[in-house]
Amino acid sequence: EATFPSGTQAGTLLLERATFRDCSAVEGGAMRVDGAAVLTAVGCDIADCSASGGDGGGVLAPADGEVRMSGGCTLRDCTADSGGALAFHGGVGDLDGANLLGGVSLGGKGGCLVAKEGAAVTLRGSVLRDCLDSPDIPAVVSPCAGSTPAADSGGGLAVAHD
C-alpha cells in the first residue's frame, strides 16, 4: 500500500495487460486506488478476487481515487459486500470497453458495480453480465443479461446517494 504525505502529489500507475488472480483484502480485493491516485489499466485481467469485509471485490476507488480502464479489461468472478467487481465511493471511473462478469455482492448493492457517495462513473461499450446481488436469491431474468437483482439494490449496477 502506497501512502502520500500531506501536501504531496498522489501517484499515477499505468498497467498494461496485467493479471491479478485470487487476490483478497478487507477492501479492494485486487486494488485500492485512494488519495487522489490515478490508475490507468489497459487490457487487464482481474479474476477470483474478494474483499472480505468491505467493498470492491476487484477494485475500490474511495474518496478521490480515479480508475480508467480500456482495451477490454475484464473483471471476472469477484466478490464483496457491495460492488462485486468495482466500487466507487466518491471516486471517478472511466470504463471504456470493460467486461464486468460474474460479480457477486453479498447483500450490499451492485453485483458488478456500485457508485455512491458522489462518485462519477462513465461506462462506454462495456458489458455487465451474470452479476448477482445476493447468493441467497434465486436467479431471475433482468434487464442486465443474466444478472439477478435483490429488491432495488441492482443486480448489475447500483447507484446510491448514501
Side-chain angles (χ1 to χ4, degrees):
E1 175 179 326
T3 59
F4 304 95
S6 180
T8 62
Q9 185 161 347
T12 300
L13 176 64
L14 170 63
L15 297 174
E16 292 182 322
R17 294 177 305 281
T19 299
F20 294 81
R21 291 206 189 275
D22 300 313
C23 301
S24 65
V26 173
E27 291 188 318
M31 291 180 262
R32 180 181 169 122
V33 183
D34 204 352
V38 177
L39 167 69
T40 302
V42 180
C44 63
D45 185 26
I46 299 171
D48 303 310
C49 296
S50 64
S52 61
D55 297 343
V59 179
L60 171 64
D64 297 327
E66 183 174 340
V67 175
R68 301 174 190 159
M69 292 187 170
S70 64
C73 277
T74 298
L75 288 90
R76 171 182 29 249
D77 300 324
C78 295
T79 304
D81 287 347
S82 69
L86 285 165
F88 293 92
H89 295 192
V92 175
D94 185 359
L95 309 177
D96 189 357
N99 300 297
L100 309 181
L101 312 173
V104 177
S105 170
L106 298 173
K109 296 178 180 170
C112 278
L113 172 68
V114 66
K116 60 184 184 178
E117 300 171 17
V121 180
T122 301
L123 292 151
R124 284 183 307 282
S126 296
V127 174
L128 284 78
R129 188 178 68 226
D130 299 326
C131 307
L132 184 63
D133 191 79
S134 173
D136 299 324
I137 299 197
V140 297
V141 176
S142 73
C144 186
S147 298
T148 304
D152 25 279
S153 295
L157 170 68
V159 179
H161 179 57
D162 57 343

